[in-house]
Amino acid sequence: MLSNFEIKYVEIQWYDRDTVTKVTESLHAIPVEYNDEHAHFECETTIYPRTEGVLRGQLAVRFITGSAVIPCIKMSDGAEKPLSPVEDIDSGKNWWIVKDSWDAKEKYWRHSSVNTAGTLILVLDDVHCHINIGSMDFSRDQLERYLTGFKDDLWELLLDESSSVQASREQGGIGINNATIDCAQNIIMHAHKILSNPKAELREIQTLKPRKAVKPVNRTFMELATKTNQSVLTSRAVKPTFNMAENRYILFALERSYRMIKQIVILSGNKAKRYATLTDKLQHQYDSFTDSVTIDRDLVVKDLEIIRQRCKLSYWQQQLAQSFIAEKIVYDADGPQYNVLHFRSQKPTKENDGFFIEINVQGQWMRDSEKSTVLSFNSKFNASLLNLVRCLRQHAEYKITGAGRRYETEKAVIYVIDYLNDIEIVDARELHLAQQKYSQEIMQGKVLDANNWQRKLSPRELDEQTKEKVALQNRIRFYSENQSLSEAVFKKVEPKQRQLAQLITQFKALGVTASSHFPNSMTFVQNPRYQGVHNGYKQLMASTRLTNEDLLLSLEEIDAIGLVNMPLLYERWCLLQIMKVLIESFRFIPQSNWKYQLVDAIKGRKKDIEILFDNPLSKRSLTLTYEKTLENGKRPDFVIDLQWAAEKDDQARYSRRFVLDAKFYDRSTFARSGGLLGVIDGLRNQKDYREATNNPVFLIHPCKHAIADVVTAQHWGKYSYLGEAGSGAGGIKPNHDYGAIFLSPIDKELYNDELQRLLGLFLQYKLESPNTSSLPNDLTRAKPFCIRCGSVELRTIEKTGGYTNKQGVQSARTPRSVWLQCTECEQFISFNHCQHSETRLIKNGLYWTYHSARAIEPFNIKCPECSEWGGW
């Protein structure tokens, strides 16, 4: 449904309380969408907005095709407050605004209702529009720094094409080479020489001169005729001027060069500070390791409650019912004569169309006719019964009420279920395992409580900690070196910025005004000084890869504005961060024309903006689309379409879609929307971003306290939820299909780590089926890479001989697991599988692992499919 109105921020200049002299509109309307479920329009903004061309913004609404109805605000008590009309005398547009109280000193109407956090309901003709106004936990000063940081990040992406991870020492670690510095030096040298003898032209003027030195003009003769004995008369004279085409272009080139050098200074300075902070953060992680660990009591209690529920047969019956609904299995209520089959499941058949079973005959478990006994769901009457394979568990006891066929072969007896009336779980090995675990966990909890929830690390945990420390030491050295390189660039370039600023001031003092027009003059051929500035400017553009004038103009426009509102600015900031992580952390190379696509996205010129990336080393390529229109008409903020080839097969190509949506929400906004999971459900199911399939759908937000219920022992679990097992979401196990991450432009404690872990989850884990039962080992078919640094140079590590299982028994490791280590950053990576569900498990050390960690054993991870845990 399309709206007949637009909402913008405007600045109104008043002559008095009733007379408007001018209305200045922001460049962009606030995006308005129709909510089908609640049958109203809605949009988002925040207090403290800063908008293009508007210094003191006021929310205003305008009917596009006109309306005779006076719009109003619906108050919380049900009353309606009418808006007041304002006509722009220049454009003739009629705007409706809130008039609360007149400020006679500043000459404007105050409007407190639109600067208060909450939901503002506008009644517009026969429709309602809900304006969700977020307060955020940010001050105005923080938001100003956020806007500055956004612009700096944009320049960094465009100037620093070489990822810091891939940059060589000769490039200075930030993609700025010596040629750039030499260009700036040459420009400054030649500009100084121009100022010592600037090109000038003589322009005729009239001035007073002594009688004998006069060069007469018409006015001179008039003065002689009307005045006698005058000692001075009007005379023709000349005056040198420097405001000529050649100098105007030189000033233009100097100003452009200054902007580029200024951004390089900001870039190198910011990188030096960032690397220093990263080094400190990693050093803090390294120093925090000890031979003991503190256990989170609350998480242990939550894990115990989960295990306690699994100790009840009703829990497993409920799981069975939920899986029937998920697999869309159809019951036959009016089928033929039903019988009851009492059986115990073993392993699935090779064709995965049933189970090997034992049947219960007069209380005794046996194979039918002492042959292999198979329960088959491959019915020609009800195709949905084949999905029973995914619903029933191994080593569980069931009673099935239904009808079918029994036939016997030389080696087996086959029961085929054709009609299903009911199924009941009677017993399960998992039920007894849960009961044993519950008793063991209770005992462990008592021991921990007696030791103030501290315990010594086991030898296996100490070994894992050592591996993590090796990787941390590697990264500390890496970032320290890059910090030194960035500081070296800053020290070289910062003086050039100051010198260029002085030259610009001196040219302006001569009365020169800048012009981008390159004059058709022999000066730039014959005069090496003018030629030197021009050539240096062109070389500087080339060395910074900003060779297009339109691109520079667009960047200058973005530098001069504050975008429409904070939610929209947050979306575009997130776009920059996604690109930075893809390029810097995962070594993707953006394809042709990407800079113009990025600027189009930032300026909001169009929708469905695609930016292509390629990483031939990891055999992955992707398309990042900003505001992509899905087939269902919905438009999430970011869609990543990944294409990949198997490591051992370059011919076949596979694809997967990943959906991200940015919401500039605070805690109260989440609460109004049903909490974090409520917002995620709205995106995934109500807006159908999953597209009736299983696209992973994740939310990006800047609210540090959105996680009301921490579910994992990892540090990141306080801020983000990656759809790991044990979420408490009604027993549903998301298996990393949905979730949310914390990503704040203000709080730099985590930087882009949360985003890097999420994108790593997608690029490493969610691109293919997690079931490894049909594979020779637990490695992904896609080429493995390091989630910490993006390298594909991994070496195989020989596994240790065995491990101590949960019962304290020494056990052999599964031959299917694979251990790798990155040759660049020393990150340890293990590929394993869950012994219960055959689900692949990938462990990227303590910090970068995205599977949930156990509360009582933070070094041990849970299966995202079934929540089980255990080493191999």
Side-chain angles (χ1 to χ4, degrees):
M1 184 175 179
L2 299 176
S3 62
N4 180 39
F5 59 89
E6 66 171 340
I7 298 175
K8 282 188 175 183
Y9 278 97
V10 301
E11 180 182 12
I12 304 173
Q13 296 179 14
W14 299 86
Y15 176 76
D16 55 34
R17 58 184 297 142
D18 299 315
T19 307
V20 176
T21 61
K22 185 179 181 182
V23 177
T24 303
E25 303 176 32
S26 64
L27 298 183
H28 298 279
I30 296 176
V32 176
E33 291 185 358
Y34 188 74
N35 187 314
D36 295 300
E37 181 183 3
H38 297 100
H40 63 235
F41 288 95
E42 59 186 16
C43 61
E44 298 173 5
T45 183
T46 63
I47 60 175
Y48 304 135
R50 178 180 170 187
T51 54
E52 297 97 320
V54 173
L55 298 178
R56 189 166 56 201
Q58 178 168 0
L59 204 64
V61 61
R62 181 179 75 89
F63 292 103
I64 298 173
T65 59
S67 173
V69 178
I70 298 176
C72 60
I73 298 175
K74 191 172 183 178
M75 310 301 287
S76 57
D77 60 0
E80 295 183 346
K81 179 179 181 179
L83 273 65
S84 302
V86 170
E87 181 180 355
D88 182 5
I89 59 176
D90 293 328
S91 66
K93 292 180 181 179
N94 286 307
W95 294 94
W96 295 87
I97 65 167
V98 179
K99 289 184 178 180
D100 283 340
S101 60
W102 173 252
D103 188 321
K105 182 179 180 180
E106 299 294 334
K107 290 190 175 180
Y108 78 102
W109 282 95
R110 294 187 178 275
H111 37 87
S112 58
S113 58
V114 294
N115 274 340
T116 303
T119 300
L120 185 70
I121 302 177
L122 291 181
V123 182
L124 305 167
D125 208 344
D126 58 344
V127 298
H128 287 191
C129 181
H130 289 222
I131 304 177
N132 299 314
I133 306 174
S135 65
M136 301 311 299
D137 300 319
F138 303 148
S139 66
R140 182 186 293 269
D141 181 59
Q142 285 177 318
L143 293 178
E144 291 290 346
R145 294 203 307 272
Y146 162 27
L147 180 60
T148 301
F150 166 80
K151 295 171 184 175
D152 291 344
D153 283 346
L154 176 60
W155 275 95
E156 179 175 335
L157 260 178
L158 298 178
L159 284 173
D160 188 13
E161 286 189 19
S162 289
S163 161
S164 61
V165 176
Q166 305 172 63
S168 66
R169 183 175 294 275
E170 288 73 23
Q171 290 176 309
I174 60 169
I176 305 301
N177 53 34
N178 288 328
T180 306
I181 300 171
D182 291 341
C183 286
Q185 183 57 44
N186 288 334
I187 292 170
I188 292 168
M189 178 185 67
H190 289 296
H192 270 301
K193 292 180 178 178
I194 290 174
L195 280 171
S196 66
N197 186 22
K199 187 175 177 64
E201 64 181 8
L202 299 176
R203 293 184 180 176
E204 184 175 301
I205 61 172
Q206 293 182 4
T207 187
L208 295 176
K209 285 190 176 183
R211 294 175 68 95
K212 291 184 179 181
V214 167
K215 295 180 180 179
V217 294
N218 291 337
R219 184 179 181 85
T220 310
F221 298 108
M222 184 181 297
E223 290 174 350
L224 288 170
T226 59
K227 300 177 181 178
T228 58
N229 299 324
Q230 289 292 319
S231 59
V232 293
L233 296 170
T234 301
S235 172
R236 181 184 298 111
V238 292
K239 179 182 179 182
T241 179
F242 301 102
N243 192 26
M244 51 191 303
E246 290 85 351
N247 292 335
R248 288 197 293 270
Y249 176 78
I250 292 297
L251 179 57
F252 162 79
L254 289 174
E255 288 181 337
R256 281 287 174 83
S257 299
Y258 172 80
R259 291 191 183 97
M260 286 185 277
I261 293 298
K262 176 185 176 184
Q263 290 302 328
I264 293 172
V265 170
I266 293 172
L267 168 62
S268 56
N270 286 347
K271 276 184 172 281
K273 292 176 184 177
R274 188 186 313 161
Y275 290 140
T277 306
L278 279 170
T279 301
D280 290 343
K281 184 183 78 169
L282 295 178
Q283 187 64 53
H284 177 73
Q285 286 183 23
Y286 185 89
D287 295 339
S288 66
F289 287 131
T290 64
D291 61 352
S292 63
V293 63
T294 301
I295 304 301
D296 189 324
R297 180 187 179 280
D298 293 338
L299 283 177
V300 171
V301 172
K302 290 176 186 176
D303 276 357
L304 275 171
E305 178 59 25
I306 293 172
I307 299 173
R308 190 177 72 84
Q309 293 299 321
R310 294 164 71 96
C311 293
K312 302 175 183 177
L313 190 62
S314 59
Y315 169 85
W316 299 103
Q317 190 68 44
Q318 181 186 19
Q319 294 296 303
L320 181 63
Q322 288 177 351
S323 60
F324 267 49
I325 295 172
E327 297 296 339
K328 300 178 180 178
I329 293 175
V330 179
Y331 283 106
D332 299 291
D334 302 315
Q337 182 66 38
Y338 290 128
N339 294 306
V340 176
L341 178 65
H342 190 183
F343 70 93
R344 188 162 62 188
S345 62
Q346 295 175 331
K347 65 178 181 178
T349 60
K350 186 177 181 181
E351 294 79 13
N352 209 34
D353 62 352
F355 279 92
F356 289 97
I357 64 169
E358 293 176 323
I359 59 175
N360 190 295
V361 180
Q362 296 180 348
Q364 298 294 319
W365 292 104
M366 62 181 66
R367 296 183 298 171
D368 195 337
S369 302
E370 297 185 352
K371 295 181 180 180
S372 292
T373 308
V374 175
L375 180 63
S376 174
F377 309 133
N378 197 3
S379 170
K380 57 185 177 181
F381 300 103
N382 188 344
S384 75
L385 293 183
L386 192 61
N387 296 337
L388 275 169
V389 174
R390 293 193 289 270
C391 298
L392 303 189
R393 299 176 179 275
Q394 296 183 49
H395 309 293
E397 184 180 340
Y398 294 94
K399 286 183 180 180
I400 285 186
T401 304
R405 295 162 283 134
R406 175 192 180 278
Y407 63 91
E408 191 170 343
T409 67
E410 183 180 347
K411 296 182 178 180
V413 175
I414 314 295
Y415 288 84
V416 181
I417 302 296
D418 288 325
Y419 301 95
L420 178 66
N421 178 255
D422 190 26
I423 185 168
E424 175 189 359
I425 185 168
V426 179
D427 200 359
R429 185 178 71 173
E430 291 173 301
L431 171 66
H432 297 287
L433 288 174
Q435 291 169 346
Q436 292 176 15
K437 287 178 191 173
Y438 187 70
S439 299
Q440 293 169 359
E441 299 277 305
I442 287 289
M443 291 300 297
Q444 286 181 298
K446 290 179 179 178
V447 172
L448 285 170
D449 186 58
N451 290 291
N452 199 27
W453 295 93
Q454 296 273 335
R455 71 169 176 82
K456 292 289 184 179
L457 296 180
S458 68
R460 180 179 62 84
E461 291 172 328
L462 286 170
D463 181 59
E464 289 200 38
Q465 183 173 272
T466 299
K467 293 170 183 173
E468 189 81 358
K469 291 171 75 172
V470 169
L472 283 171
Q473 284 178 319
N474 179 289
R475 291 296 88 185
I476 289 170
R477 287 194 300 270
F478 174 80
Y479 287 122
S480 295
E481 291 173 2
N482 275 275
Q483 176 191 351
S484 300
L485 293 171
S486 299
E487 288 175 345
V489 171
F490 179 84
K491 290 177 181 177
K492 288 182 180 179
V493 180
E494 195 273 336
K496 307 293 186 289
Q497 178 191 352
R498 286 186 279 109
Q499 291 171 335
L500 282 168
Q502 292 172 356
L503 289 169
I504 291 168
T505 301
Q506 291 172 13
F507 267 93
K508 289 182 176 180
L510 295 175
V512 179
T513 57
S515 172
S516 61
H517 174 71
F518 184 72
N520 185 17
S521 167
M522 289 299 292
T523 300
F524 287 91
V525 177
Q526 297 172 340
N527 192 321
R529 301 170 181 177
Y530 283 82
Q531 186 184 78
V533 173
H534 172 64
N535 291 340
Y537 166 57
K538 293 298 181 184
Q539 290 171 12
L540 181 61
M541 290 179 65
S543 69
T544 54
R545 303 174 184 87
L546 297 174
T547 55
N548 188 282
E549 293 285 346
D550 290 338
L551 186 61
L552 276 172
L553 284 173
S554 295
L555 287 171
E556 289 174 6
E557 288 178 23
I558 293 171
D559 271 349
I561 63 176
L563 296 179
V564 180
N565 55 37
M566 303 319 291
L568 189 57
L569 181 62
Y570 183 68
E571 280 180 22
R572 294 170 182 176
W573 179 80
C574 288
L575 172 63
L576 298 182
Q577 307 317 305
I578 292 171
M579 291 187 64
K580 285 178 67 176
V581 170
L582 289 174
I583 295 170
E584 294 185 2
S585 301
F586 297 130
R587 310 192 184 193
F588 279 85
I589 303 169
Q591 300 303 289
S592 60
N593 210 38
W594 69 274
K595 293 183 179 181
Y596 306 98
Q597 296 289 78
L598 176 59
V599 169
D600 278 344
I602 299 303
K603 296 183 73 173
R605 289 173 175 166
K606 56 184 180 180
K607 310 298 182 185
D608 297 299
I609 298 175
E610 294 183 349
I611 303 176
L612 308 181
F613 294 85
D614 186 38
N615 187 334
L617 294 177
S618 68
K619 295 187 176 183
R620 291 165 173 84
S621 60
L622 62 87
T623 302
L624 170 62
T625 310
Y626 178 59
E627 295 196 340
K628 182 180 182 67
T629 305
L630 304 178
E631 290 185 5
N632 58 25
K634 300 300 182 182
R635 187 181 290 133
D637 294 329
F638 316 105
V639 173
I640 297 177
D641 288 306
L642 176 70
Q643 296 80 41
W644 60 277
E647 181 176 17
K648 299 179 180 179
D649 181 8
D650 289 328
Q651 302 304 315
R653 301 290 293 181
Y654 306 92
S655 61
R656 192 72 202 273
R657 173 167 287 182
F658 193 54
V659 180
L660 298 166
D661 206 68
K663 296 293 184 187
F664 197 67
Y665 283 2
D666 59 4
R667 196 168 187 173
S668 61
T669 309
F670 273 118
R672 292 199 306 270
S673 305
L676 185 67
L677 291 176
V679 175
I680 296 170
D681 181 69
L683 299 175
R684 190 167 180 260
N685 297 313
Q686 296 172 26
K687 289 191 174 184
D688 193 26
Y689 285 174
R690 63 186 296 188
E691 295 182 289
T693 59
N694 214 17
N695 296 338
V697 177
F698 280 80
L699 173 70
I700 305 175
H701 65 86
C703 179
K704 199 168 185 176
H705 305 290
I707 301 291
D709 190 24
V710 178
V711 297
T712 181
Q714 283 114 318
H715 176 73
W716 54 261
K718 301 174 185 177
Y719 314 105
S720 300
Y721 171 60
L722 298 182
E724 62 269 23
S727 66
I732 298 173
K733 300 173 183 65
N735 200 3
H736 301 302
D737 281 333
Y738 57 84
I741 63 163
F742 167 74
L743 192 65
S744 172
I746 305 302
D747 190 328
K748 295 292 188 178
E749 177 189 350
L750 301 174
Y751 292 90
N752 283 334
D753 287 1
E754 302 299 288
L755 182 60
Q756 182 174 337
R757 189 181 295 106
L758 174 62
L759 294 180
L761 163 69
F762 176 54
L763 296 169
Q764 187 186 59
Y765 190 79
K766 291 301 292 183
L767 73 176
E768 59 184 289
S769 169
N771 191 285
T772 67
S773 58
S774 62
L775 300 177
N777 56 47
D778 294 322
L779 277 174
T780 53
R781 288 186 300 144
K783 189 174 181 66
F785 70 94
C786 175
I787 192 176
R788 184 189 283 273
C789 75
S791 173
V792 297
E793 298 299 324
L794 309 175
R795 60 175 175 264
T796 303
I797 301 297
E798 184 177 351
K799 292 181 288 187
T800 55
Y803 71 100
T804 304
N805 66 18
K806 289 175 284 187
Q807 286 73 39
V809 178
Q810 188 70 16
S811 303
R813 296 191 183 278
T814 171
R816 286 164 51 186
S817 65
V818 179
W819 291 1
L820 302 176
Q821 191 166 29
C822 177
T823 60
E824 290 192 26
C825 73
E826 305 296 329
Q827 176 67 47
F828 181 79
I829 311 164
S830 68
F831 292 79
N832 212 321
H833 69 274
C834 173
Q835 60 181 318
H836 298 278
S837 66
E838 303 282 351
T839 298
R840 178 184 289 112
L841 304 173
I842 303 179
K843 195 168 182 180
N844 297 294
L846 298 174
Y847 188 75
W848 292 108
T849 295
Y850 33 72
H851 302 314
S852 181
R854 286 201 66 208
I856 218 162
E857 290 181 295
F859 288 78
N860 204 351
I861 57 176
K862 302 177 186 177
C863 170
E865 176 67 27
C866 68
S867 298
E868 289 292 345
W869 60 85
W872 276 102

